[in-house]
Amino acid sequence: MSELEKLIQQFSPNGIEYKELGAVATISRGGNFQKKDYVESGFPCIHYGQIYTKYDLFVNNTISYISNEIATKQKKAVYGDIIMAVTSENIEDVCKCVAWLGDEEVAISGHTAIIHHTLNPKYLAYYLNSSLFFKQKLKLVQGTKVMEVSPDKLKKVRIPVPPLEVQCEIVRILDCLTELTAELTEKLTAELTARKKQYEYYRDKLLDFRELG
């Protein structure tokens, strides 16, 4: 019996309970700052477009800032909150999200949902990036050219809510697998780069008949 199975048996002998997201979280919309409001240093912020391209699943530092004056008028996320981009031009990116793990508040732009919850933040982030959530998301999306999922509809998403001890063990396992995948990807990338250089070297050698002659 694995450690995860032992924890489930110990803390949830009658099975894992499923709840609507709205039962374990409050969901609010982000603020209204724009890219033109960026400054070199100031109050940390996350623009919804950065969730698609700049950040991984977990974030503890931002790459952008806005002035403290503009920040006072913005919606903010705190440690553990999930920040979700609720609009996109394609079905894959809509509802893409990150967990904010920074120590300070962070200002959040429009076209987002800020999910403040009672779960392990990594556990919820992993679930909201899974195929299990993707299947539910398909039923919630509105629009064709620009797709959107409203915070009210997000509240209806059903998620497994195991005891905190079980959530933490799932996070530990997924963190280990993520780290292993990153290590393997790095090694494979280095090997492919070396093989590409080798191929290019011999290609040019074999096709340069002056040198062969």
Side-chain angles (χ1 to χ4, degrees):
M1 182 181 293
S2 70
E3 183 63 25
L4 179 59
E5 290 170 326
K6 291 178 183 177
L7 289 171
I8 292 175
Q9 190 176 71
Q10 179 182 353
F11 293 102
S12 189
N14 297 321
I16 301 302
E17 185 178 8
Y18 278 71
K19 296 182 180 180
E20 290 187 350
L21 185 58
V24 296
T26 57
I27 306 174
S28 57
R29 290 188 178 273
N32 57 11
F33 72 84
Q34 301 175 28
K35 292 180 180 179
K36 64 181 179 63
D37 296 319
Y38 289 168
V39 294
E40 288 191 9
S41 62
F43 199 94
C45 68
I46 293 178
H47 188 273
Y48 81 97
Q50 295 171 331
I51 297 175
Y52 305 132
T53 58
K54 301 295 184 181
Y55 292 120
D56 293 325
L57 199 51
F58 312 118
V59 182
N60 52 28
N61 289 294
T62 67
I63 59 175
S64 301
Y65 303 88
I66 54 177
S67 70
N68 289 324
E69 180 182 1
I70 292 178
T72 60
K73 305 172 185 176
Q74 302 304 316
K75 300 290 185 64
K76 301 176 181 69
V78 298
Y79 178 89
D81 286 351
I82 303 296
I83 305 159
M84 178 180 286
V86 293
T87 64
S88 175
E89 295 180 355
N90 62 75
I91 193 67
E92 287 76 19
D93 284 341
V94 67
C95 290
K96 192 174 188 302
C97 64
V98 298
W100 173 247
L101 301 181
D103 294 328
E104 56 190 338
E105 288 185 326
V106 58
I108 307 302
S109 79
H111 300 293
T112 62
I114 302 172
I115 304 173
H116 186 71
H117 57 91
T118 59
L119 307 179
N120 181 305
K122 282 192 167 185
Y123 170 81
L124 184 54
Y126 276 128
Y127 184 84
L128 293 176
N129 280 274
S130 71
S131 61
L132 300 171
F133 171 69
F134 187 90
K135 292 176 182 177
Q136 295 191 67
K137 177 182 73 173
L138 293 176
K139 302 175 183 178
L140 307 177
V141 175
Q142 292 179 312
T144 51
K145 186 175 182 181
V146 176
M147 301 178 181
E148 180 177 9
V149 175
S150 70
D152 284 341
K153 289 196 173 184
L154 282 174
K155 292 178 182 178
K156 301 297 182 182
V157 170
R158 291 184 60 80
I159 62 173
V161 184
L164 187 58
E165 293 83 358
V166 175
Q167 294 178 38
C168 291
E169 177 62 10
I170 291 172
V171 167
R172 184 192 68 79
I173 294 170
L174 292 177
D175 280 352
C176 288
L177 291 172
T178 299
E179 184 177 349
L180 178 61
T181 300
E183 290 176 359
L184 289 173
T185 300
E186 185 177 353
K187 290 179 181 178
L188 287 171
T189 300
E191 180 68 18
L192 287 170
T193 299
R195 290 290 167 260
K196 183 180 179 182
K197 289 182 177 178
Q198 183 184 49
Y199 161 77
E200 291 173 348
Y201 172 80
Y202 282 107
R203 177 197 61 196
D204 293 348
K205 278 279 190 182
L206 291 170
L207 294 175
D208 189 349
F209 292 99
R210 296 171 301 173
E211 190 169 331
L212 286 174

